Amino acid sequence: MRLRNILIFGAVMLAAAVAGSLVGPRPAEAVAREIVELQRDVTNLLQGQKDLSTQMTQDHTIMKTLVEQTNDNVGKLNGTMSSLQKSVQDVQANSGARLDTMSTQVQGLSDNLEEIKSRLGKLNQQLVDLQNTVQSLDAKISGTAPAPATTPTSGNYTPAPAGGGAPVGGSVVPAGGAPSADTLYSNGLRDITSGKYDLARQEFQDYLKYYSDTDLASNAQFYLGEIAYSQHNYDQAVQEYDRVLTNYPKSFKLAPAHLKKGMAQLELGQKSAGVRELREVVKRYPGTEEERRARAKLKELGVPTTAAG
């Protein structure tokens, strides 16, 4: 279309030149020169049109190549994103189990610290008792009074009964039976954190059998639930956590027991019961790590943190 317009324009210009030569008398040589210049201009216009067409063809080819390369890159990017999405999904699927294992290990380390602090307190009391005994002996020696033949006893010491049992925290251990409370509890923590769940279960069960009235008994009961949960025995886990909540109402393991009981119920498909336990954690233990985890799980389930109404 553009070429046609150029040709028409050239013809009009040529006709105008001819008409001008006819209207007024002009030298033939001048008319011929103008016609030659006009023809040259038309030729230049045609050549420019041809060059422009060639350039447009080249640009179109380049653009087509770029579009094809872009499509290829987009295809590769889509493939990469699909692989990355699958990897993220795999990580998310495994992160829950890993988080539970890490939580158990952290709690084990925390309880180890509590146990060490308890032992330090006992040692400190024993040192005070020993110091009092030494001062008493020094006073008697300085007063030339004969030292008694009996063995001094501290305020925490209770003689073993005649039957050979030793009372520990209100529970009597048969002579030659279970190891000490500290040994059983420490071994149980060590074995649960290293994944020796069957051995740890037996140690915590023995602890509860012989030392059920100690301060760490609720911890031992809680770890029985953790062992069952780690072995995917969620029915048993719910029962063990329930014993913490029922038998040890003042235990500092109440919040984690509620949380893990709810998690176990969700694993069993008991969504209503599990959501109720998680909401109880949010309500009763604000500001704790358990509350944060309960809120995150409720959000994942798409349910509000409080019951409607």
Side-chain angles (χ1 to χ4, degrees):
M1 185 68 181
R2 186 173 180 180
L3 179 59
R4 179 183 176 185
N5 292 335
I6 292 173
L7 292 175
I8 292 173
F9 176 75
V12 169
M13 293 296 293
L14 182 60
V18 173
S21 63
L22 294 176
V23 171
R26 301 183 62 185
E29 182 179 352
V31 173
R33 185 168 58 252
E34 290 181 359
I35 292 175
V36 170
E37 291 176 355
L38 183 59
Q39 290 177 339
R40 184 171 61 247
D41 292 340
V42 171
T43 301
N44 291 336
L45 287 173
L46 292 175
Q47 184 62 41
Q49 175 68 21
K50 181 178 180 182
D51 294 341
L52 180 61
S53 177
T54 302
Q55 184 65 40
M56 290 179 63
T57 302
Q58 293 175 351
D59 290 344
H60 176 73
T61 302
I62 293 173
M63 288 295 294
K64 182 179 179 181
T65 303
L66 290 175
V67 169
E68 291 175 351
Q69 292 176 349
T70 302
N71 288 335
D72 291 340
N73 291 333
V74 169
K76 293 178 181 179
L77 181 60
N78 286 335
T80 303
M81 289 296 293
S82 298
S83 300
L84 181 60
Q85 185 177 11
K86 185 178 184 303
S87 299
V88 170
Q89 290 173 348
D90 292 341
V91 170
Q92 289 177 339
N94 296 328
S95 61
R98 292 179 181 175
L99 181 60
D100 289 332
T101 301
M102 290 177 63
S103 177
T104 299
Q105 292 175 346
V106 169
Q107 288 176 348
L109 293 175
S110 175
D111 287 340
N112 269 326
L113 180 59
E114 292 290 336
E115 182 190 3
I116 291 172
K117 290 167 65 177
S118 176
R119 290 182 180 181
L120 288 175
K122 292 178 182 179
L123 288 175
N124 183 61
Q125 183 61 46
Q126 290 175 1
L127 287 174
V128 171
D129 293 340
L130 181 59
Q131 184 178 8
N132 292 336
T133 302
V134 171
Q135 289 176 350
S136 177
L137 290 175
D138 286 343
K140 291 179 180 180
I141 292 173
S142 63
T144 65
T150 58
T151 302
T153 61
S154 69
N156 295 331
Y157 176 80
T158 304
V168 180
S171 300
V172 177
V173 181
S180 69
D182 288 344
T183 299
L184 273 176
Y185 191 81
S186 298
N187 289 346
L189 284 179
R190 180 198 63 215
D191 291 329
I192 193 175
T193 54
S194 60
K196 299 177 182 178
Y197 296 129
D198 292 335
L199 184 57
R201 181 191 299 108
Q202 185 61 53
E203 288 160 342
F204 286 127
Q205 286 174 342
D206 287 344
Y207 187 94
L208 292 172
K209 178 179 179 181
Y210 298 116
Y211 310 109
S212 59
D213 295 333
T214 62
D215 293 337
L216 296 176
S218 64
N219 292 21
Q221 180 61 61
F222 175 79
Y223 284 122
L224 289 177
E226 293 290 86
I227 291 169
Y229 191 97
S230 298
Q231 293 181 324
H232 308 293
N233 188 356
Y234 301 114
D235 279 318
Q236 183 65 32
V238 170
Q239 296 177 27
E240 302 293 358
Y241 295 133
D242 265 334
R243 291 190 180 100
V244 176
L245 302 174
T246 302
N247 299 336
Y248 306 97
K250 296 183 179 180
S251 171
F252 67 90
K253 290 294 186 184
L254 294 182
H258 274 297
L259 174 68
K260 296 305 291 289
K261 177 185 175 182
M263 294 291 195
Q265 288 171 327
L266 292 175
E267 293 289 348
L268 291 169
Q270 302 170 4
K271 184 175 179 180
S272 297
V275 168
R276 185 167 55 250
E277 287 294 332
L278 296 182
R279 285 174 173 168
E280 186 73 8
V281 175
V282 173
K283 178 181 177 182
R284 295 180 59 182
Y285 308 102
T288 63
E289 174 65 17
E290 287 76 19
E291 185 226 7
R292 186 192 66 79
R293 293 182 61 188
R295 283 185 180 277
K297 189 62 178 179
L298 290 170
K299 182 178 180 181
E300 178 184 332
L301 295 172
V303 298
T305 55
T306 57

CSV table of all heavy atoms in Angstrom, one decimal, residues 187-227:
chain,number,residue,atom,x,y,z
A,187,ASN,N,19.3,-42.6,83.2
A,187,ASN,CA,19.4,-43.6,82.1
A,187,ASN,C,18.2,-43.5,81.1
A,187,ASN,O,18.4,-43.6,79.9
A,187,ASN,CB,19.5,-45.0,82.7
A,187,ASN,CG,20.8,-45.3,83.4
A,187,ASN,OD1,21.7,-44.6,83.2
A,187,ASN,ND2,20.8,-46.4,84.2
A,188,GLY,N,17.0,-43.3,81.7
A,188,GLY,CA,15.9,-43.1,80.8
A,188,GLY,C,16.0,-41.9,79.9
A,188,GLY,O,15.7,-42.0,78.7
A,189,LEU,N,16.5,-40.8,80.4
A,189,LEU,CA,16.7,-39.6,79.6
A,189,LEU,C,17.7,-39.8,78.5
A,189,LEU,O,17.5,-39.4,77.4
A,189,LEU,CB,17.1,-38.4,80.5
A,189,LEU,CG,16.0,-37.7,81.3
A,189,LEU,CD1,16.6,-36.6,82.1
A,189,LEU,CD2,14.9,-37.2,80.4
A,190,ARG,N,18.8,-40.5,78.9
A,190,ARG,CA,19.8,-40.7,77.9
A,190,ARG,C,19.3,-41.6,76.8
A,190,ARG,O,19.6,-41.4,75.6
A,190,ARG,CB,21.0,-41.4,78.6
A,190,ARG,CG,22.2,-41.8,77.7
A,190,ARG,CD,23.1,-42.8,78.4
A,190,ARG,NE,22.4,-44.1,78.6
A,190,ARG,CZ,22.5,-44.9,79.6
A,190,ARG,NH1,23.4,-44.5,80.6
A,190,ARG,NH2,21.8,-46.0,79.7
A,191,ASP,N,18.6,-42.6,77.1
A,191,ASP,CA,18.1,-43.6,76.1
A,191,ASP,C,17.0,-43.0,75.2
A,191,ASP,O,16.9,-43.3,74.0
A,191,ASP,CB,17.6,-44.9,76.8
A,191,ASP,CG,18.8,-45.7,77.4
A,191,ASP,OD1,19.9,-45.6,76.9
A,191,ASP,OD2,18.6,-46.3,78.4
A,192,ILE,N,16.1,-42.2,75.8
A,192,ILE,CA,15.1,-41.6,75.0
A,192,ILE,C,15.7,-40.6,74.0
A,192,ILE,O,15.2,-40.4,72.8
A,192,ILE,CB,14.0,-40.9,75.8
A,192,ILE,CG1,12.7,-40.6,74.9
A,192,ILE,CG2,14.4,-39.7,76.5
A,192,ILE,CD1,11.5,-40.1,75.7
A,193,THR,N,16.7,-39.8,74.4
A,193,THR,CA,17.3,-38.8,73.5
A,193,THR,C,18.1,-39.5,72.4
A,193,THR,O,18.4,-38.9,71.4
A,193,THR,CB,18.1,-37.8,74.3
A,193,THR,OG1,19.1,-38.5,75.1
A,193,THR,CG2,17.3,-37.0,75.2
A,194,SER,N,18.6,-40.7,72.7
A,194,SER,CA,19.4,-41.4,71.7
A,194,SER,C,18.5,-42.4,70.8
A,194,SER,O,19.1,-43.1,70.0
A,194,SER,CB,20.5,-42.2,72.4
A,194,SER,OG,20.0,-43.1,73.3
A,195,GLY,N,17.2,-42.3,71.1
A,195,GLY,CA,16.3,-43.2,70.2
A,195,GLY,C,16.1,-44.6,70.7
A,195,GLY,O,15.5,-45.4,70.0
A,196,LYS,N,16.6,-45.0,71.9
A,196,LYS,CA,16.5,-46.3,72.4
A,196,LYS,C,15.2,-46.4,73.2
A,196,LYS,O,15.2,-46.4,74.4
A,196,LYS,CB,17.7,-46.7,73.2
A,196,LYS,CG,19.0,-46.7,72.5
A,196,LYS,CD,20.2,-47.0,73.4
A,196,LYS,CE,21.5,-46.9,72.7
A,196,LYS,NZ,22.7,-47.1,73.5
A,197,TYR,N,14.1,-46.3,72.4
A,197,TYR,CA,12.8,-46.1,73.1
A,197,TYR,C,12.3,-47.3,74.0
A,197,TYR,O,11.8,-47.1,75.0
A,197,TYR,CB,11.7,-45.9,72.0
A,197,TYR,CG,11.9,-44.6,71.2
A,197,TYR,CD1,12.0,-44.6,69.8
A,197,TYR,CD2,12.2,-43.4,71.9
A,197,TYR,CE1,12.2,-43.4,69.1
A,197,TYR,CE2,12.4,-42.2,71.2
A,197,TYR,CZ,12.4,-42.2,69.8
A,197,TYR,OH,12.6,-41.1,69.2
A,198,ASP,N,12.6,-48.5,73.5
A,198,ASP,CA,12.1,-49.7,74.3
A,198,ASP,C,12.8,-49.7,75.7
A,198,ASP,O,12.2,-50.0,76.7
A,198,ASP,CB,12.4,-51.0,73.5
A,198,ASP,CG,11.5,-51.1,72.3
A,198,ASP,OD1,10.4,-50.5,72.3
A,198,ASP,OD2,11.8,-51.8,71.4
A,199,LEU,N,14.1,-49.5,75.6
A,199,LEU,CA,14.9,-49.5,76.9
A,199,LEU,C,14.5,-48.3,77.8
A,199,LEU,O,14.3,-48.5,79.0
A,199,LEU,CB,16.4,-49.4,76.5
A,199,LEU,CG,17.4,-49.4,77.7
A,199,LEU,CD1,17.2,-50.7,78.5
A,199,LEU,CD2,18.8,-49.4,77.2
A,200,ALA,N,14.3,-47.1,77.2
A,200,ALA,CA,13.9,-46.0,78.0
A,200,ALA,C,12.5,-46.2,78.6
A,200,ALA,O,12.2,-45.8,79.7
A,200,ALA,CB,13.8,-44.7,77.1
A,201,ARG,N,11.6,-46.9,77.8
A,201,ARG,CA,10.2,-47.2,78.4
A,201,ARG,C,10.4,-48.0,79.7
A,201,ARG,O,9.7,-47.7,80.7
A,201,ARG,CB,9.4,-47.9,77.4
A,201,ARG,CG,8.0,-48.2,77.9
A,201,ARG,CD,7.2,-49.1,77.0
A,201,ARG,NE,7.0,-48.6,75.7
A,201,ARG,CZ,7.6,-49.0,74.6
A,201,ARG,NH1,8.5,-50.0,74.7
A,201,ARG,NH2,7.4,-48.5,73.4
A,202,GLN,N,11.2,-49.1,79.6
A,202,GLN,CA,11.4,-49.9,80.8
A,202,GLN,C,11.9,-49.2,82.0
A,202,GLN,O,11.5,-49.3,83.1
A,202,GLN,CB,12.3,-51.1,80.4
A,202,GLN,CG,12.4,-52.1,81.5
A,202,GLN,CD,11.1,-52.8,81.9
A,202,GLN,OE1,10.4,-53.3,81.0
A,202,GLN,NE2,10.7,-52.7,83.2
A,203,GLU,N,12.9,-48.3,81.7
A,203,GLU,CA,13.5,-47.5,82.8
A,203,GLU,C,12.5,-46.5,83.4
A,203,GLU,O,12.5,-46.4,84.7
A,203,GLU,CB,14.7,-46.8,82.2
A,203,GLU,CG,15.9,-47.7,81.9
A,203,GLU,CD,16.9,-47.1,81.0
A,203,GLU,OE1,16.6,-46.2,80.3
A,203,GLU,OE2,18.0,-47.7,80.9
A,204,PHE,N,11.7,-45.9,82.6
A,204,PHE,CA,10.7,-44.9,83.2
A,204,PHE,C,9.6,-45.7,83.9
A,204,PHE,O,9.1,-45.2,84.9
A,204,PHE,CB,10.2,-44.0,82.1
A,204,PHE,CG,11.1,-43.0,81.7
A,204,PHE,CD1,11.4,-42.8,80.3
A,204,PHE,CD2,11.7,-42.1,82.6
A,204,PHE,CE1,12.3,-41.8,79.9
A,204,PHE,CE2,12.6,-41.1,82.2
A,204,PHE,CZ,12.9,-41.0,80.8
A,205,GLN,N,9.2,-46.9,83.4
A,205,GLN,CA,8.2,-47.7,84.1
A,205,GLN,C,8.8,-48.1,85.4
A,205,GLN,O,8.0,-48.1,86.4
A,205,GLN,CB,7.8,-48.9,83.2
A,205,GLN,CG,7.0,-48.5,82.0
A,205,GLN,CD,6.7,-49.7,81.1
A,205,GLN,OE1,7.4,-50.7,81.1
A,205,GLN,NE2,5.7,-49.5,80.3
A,206,ASP,N,10.0,-48.5,85.5
A,206,ASP,CA,10.6,-48.9,86.8
A,206,ASP,C,10.7,-47.7,87.7
A,206,ASP,O,10.5,-47.9,88.9
A,206,ASP,CB,12.0,-49.5,86.5
A,206,ASP,CG,12.0,-50.9,85.9
A,206,ASP,OD1,10.9,-51.5,85.9
A,206,ASP,OD2,13.0,-51.3,85.4
A,207,TYR,N,11.0,-46.6,87.2
A,207,TYR,CA,11.1,-45.4,88.0
A,207,TYR,C,9.7,-45.1,88.7
A,207,TYR,O,9.6,-44.9,89.9
A,207,TYR,CB,11.5,-44.2,87.2
A,207,TYR,CG,11.7,-42.9,88.0
A,207,TYR,CD1,13.0,-42.6,88.4
A,207,TYR,CD2,10.7,-42.1,88.4
A,207,TYR,CE1,13.2,-41.5,89.2
A,207,TYR,CE2,10.9,-41.0,89.1
A,207,TYR,CZ,12.1,-40.6,89.6
A,207,TYR,OH,12.4,-39.5,90.3
A,208,LEU,N,8.6,-45.2,87.9
A,208,LEU,CA,7.3,-45.0,88.4
A,208,LEU,C,6.9,-46.1,89.4
A,208,LEU,O,6.1,-45.9,90.3
A,208,LEU,CB,6.3,-44.9,87.3
A,208,LEU,CG,6.4,-43.6,86.4
A,208,LEU,CD1,5.5,-43.7,85.2
A,208,LEU,CD2,6.1,-42.4,87.2
A,209,LYS,N,7.4,-47.3,89.2
A,209,LYS,CA,7.1,-48.4,90.0
A,209,LYS,C,7.7,-48.2,91.4
A,209,LYS,O,7.0,-48.5,92.4
A,209,LYS,CB,7.6,-49.7,89.4
A,209,LYS,CG,7.3,-51.0,90.2
A,209,LYS,CD,7.9,-52.2,89.5
A,209,LYS,CE,7.6,-53.5,90.4
A,209,LYS,NZ,8.2,-54.7,89.7
A,210,TYR,N,8.9,-47.8,91.5
A,210,TYR,CA,9.6,-47.7,92.7
A,210,TYR,C,9.6,-46.2,93.3
A,210,TYR,O,9.8,-46.1,94.6
A,210,TYR,CB,11.0,-48.2,92.6
A,210,TYR,CG,11.1,-49.6,92.2
A,210,TYR,CD1,11.7,-50.0,91.0
A,210,TYR,CD2,10.6,-50.6,93.0
A,210,TYR,CE1,11.7,-51.3,90.6
A,210,TYR,CE2,10.7,-52.0,92.6
A,210,TYR,CZ,11.2,-52.3,91.4
A,210,TYR,OH,11.3,-53.6,91.0
A,211,TYR,N,9.5,-45.2,92.5
A,211,TYR,CA,9.7,-43.9,93.0
A,211,TYR,C,8.5,-43.0,92.5
A,211,TYR,O,8.7,-41.9,92.0
A,211,TYR,CB,11.0,-43.3,92.5
A,211,TYR,CG,12.2,-44.2,92.7
A,211,TYR,CD1,12.8,-44.9,91.7
A,211,TYR,CD2,12.6,-44.4,94.0
A,211,TYR,CE1,13.9,-45.7,91.9
A,211,TYR,CE2,13.7,-45.2,94.3
A,211,TYR,CZ,14.3,-45.9,93.2
A,211,TYR,OH,15.4,-46.7,93.5
A,212,SER,N,7.3,-43.4,92.6
A,212,SER,CA,6.1,-42.7,92.1
A,212,SER,C,5.8,-41.4,92.8
A,212,SER,O,5.0,-40.7,92.3
A,212,SER,CB,4.9,-43.7,92.1
A,212,SER,OG,4.6,-44.1,93.4
A,213,ASP,N,6.4,-41.2,94.0
A,213,ASP,CA,6.1,-40.0,94.7
A,213,ASP,C,7.1,-38.9,94.7
A,213,ASP,O,7.0,-37.9,95.4
A,213,ASP,CB,5.8,-40.4,96.2
A,213,ASP,CG,4.6,-41.3,96.4
A,213,ASP,OD1,3.7,-41.2,95.6
A,213,ASP,OD2,4.6,-42.1,97.4
A,214,THR,N,8.1,-39.1,93.8
A,214,THR,CA,9.2,-38.1,93.7
A,214,THR,C,8.7,-36.9,92.8
A,214,THR,O,7.7,-37.0,92.1
A,214,THR,CB,10.4,-38.7,93.1
A,214,THR,OG1,10.2,-39.2,91.8
A,214,THR,CG2,10.9,-39.9,94.0
A,215,ASP,N,9.5,-35.8,92.9
A,215,ASP,CA,9.2,-34.7,92.0
A,215,ASP,C,9.3,-34.9,90.6
A,215,ASP,O,8.6,-34.3,89.8
A,215,ASP,CB,10.2,-33.5,92.4
A,215,ASP,CG,9.9,-33.0,93.8
A,215,ASP,OD1,8.8,-33.2,94.4
A,215,ASP,OD2,10.9,-32.4,94.4
A,216,LEU,N,10.1,-35.9,90.2
A,216,LEU,CA,10.3,-36.2,88.7
A,216,LEU,C,9.4,-37.3,88.2
A,216,LEU,O,9.5,-37.7,87.1
A,216,LEU,CB,11.8,-36.5,88.5
A,216,LEU,CG,12.8,-35.4,88.8
A,216,LEU,CD1,14.2,-35.9,88.6
A,216,LEU,CD2,12.5,-34.2,87.9
A,217,ALA,N,8.5,-37.8,89.0
A,217,ALA,CA,7.6,-38.9,88.6
A,217,ALA,C,6.7,-38.4,87.4
A,217,ALA,O,6.5,-39.2,86.5
A,217,ALA,CB,6.8,-39.4,89.8
A,218,SER,N,6.2,-37.2,87.5
A,218,SER,CA,5.4,-36.7,86.4
A,218,SER,C,6.2,-36.6,85.1
A,218,SER,O,5.6,-36.9,84.0
A,218,SER,CB,4.8,-35.4,86.7
A,218,SER,OG,5.8,-34.4,86.9
A,219,ASN,N,7.4,-36.3,85.2
A,219,ASN,CA,8.3,-36.3,84.0
A,219,ASN,C,8.4,-37.7,83.4
A,219,ASN,O,8.3,-37.8,82.2
A,219,ASN,CB,9.7,-35.7,84.3
A,219,ASN,CG,9.7,-34.3,84.7
A,219,ASN,OD1,8.6,-33.7,85.1
A,219,ASN,ND2,10.8,-33.6,84.6
A,220,ALA,N,8.7,-38.6,84.2
A,220,ALA,CA,8.8,-40.0,83.8
A,220,ALA,C,7.5,-40.5,83.1
A,220,ALA,O,7.5,-41.1,82.0
A,220,ALA,CB,9.1,-40.9,84.9
A,221,GLN,N,6.3,-40.1,83.7
A,221,GLN,CA,5.1,-40.4,83.0
A,221,GLN,C,4.9,-39.7,81.7
A,221,GLN,O,4.4,-40.3,80.7
A,221,GLN,CB,3.9,-40.0,84.0
A,221,GLN,CG,2.5,-40.4,83.4
A,221,GLN,CD,2.3,-41.8,83.2
A,221,GLN,OE1,2.4,-42.6,84.1
A,221,GLN,NE2,2.1,-42.2,81.9
A,222,PHE,N,5.3,-38.5,81.6
A,222,PHE,CA,5.2,-37.7,80.3
A,222,PHE,C,6.1,-38.4,79.3
A,222,PHE,O,5.6,-38.5,78.1
A,222,PHE,CB,5.6,-36.3,80.5
A,222,PHE,CG,5.7,-35.5,79.3
A,222,PHE,CD1,4.5,-35.0,78.7
A,222,PHE,CD2,6.9,-35.2,78.6
A,222,PHE,CE1,4.5,-34.2,77.6
A,222,PHE,CE2,6.9,-34.5,77.5
A,222,PHE,CZ,5.7,-34.0,76.9
A,223,TYR,N,7.3,-38.8,79.6
A,223,TYR,CA,8.1,-39.4,78.6
A,223,TYR,C,7.6,-40.8,78.2
A,223,TYR,O,8.0,-41.2,77.0
A,223,TYR,CB,9.6,-39.6,79.2
A,223,TYR,CG,10.3,-38.2,79.2
A,223,TYR,CD1,10.8,-37.7,80.4
A,223,TYR,CD2,10.4,-37.5,78.0
A,223,TYR,CE1,11.4,-36.4,80.4
A,223,TYR,CE2,11.0,-36.3,78.0
A,223,TYR,CZ,11.5,-35.7,79.2
A,223,TYR,OH,12.1,-34.5,79.2
A,224,LEU,N,6.8,-41.5,78.9
A,224,LEU,CA,6.2,-42.7,78.4
A,224,LEU,C,5.2,-42.3,77.3
A,224,LEU,O,5.1,-43.1,76.3
A,224,LEU,CB,5.4,-43.4,79.6
A,224,LEU,CG,6.3,-44.1,80.6
A,224,LEU,CD1,5.4,-44.6,81.7
A,224,LEU,CD2,7.2,-45.2,80.0
A,225,GLY,N,4.6,-41.2,77.4
A,225,GLY,CA,3.7,-40.7,76.3
A,225,GLY,C,4.6,-40.3,75.1
A,225,GLY,O,4.2,-40.6,74.0
A,226,GLU,N,5.7,-39.7,75.3
A,226,GLU,CA,6.6,-39.3,74.2
A,226,GLU,C,7.1,-40.5,73.5
A,226,GLU,O,7.2,-40.5,72.2
A,226,GLU,CB,7.7,-38.4,74.8
A,226,GLU,CG,7.3,-37.1,75.3
A,226,GLU,CD,6.9,-36.1,74.2
A,226,GLU,OE1,5.7,-36.2,73.9
A,226,GLU,OE2,7.7,-35.4,73.7
A,227,ILE,N,7.4,-41.5,74.2
A,227,ILE,CA,7.9,-42.8,73.6
A,227,ILE,C,6.9,-43.4,72.7
A,227,ILE,O,7.1,-43.7,71.5
A,227,ILE,CB,8.4,-43.7,74.6
A,227,ILE,CG1,9.7,-43.2,75.3
A,227,ILE,CG2,8.7,-45.1,74.0
A,227,ILE,CD1,10.1,-44.0,76.5
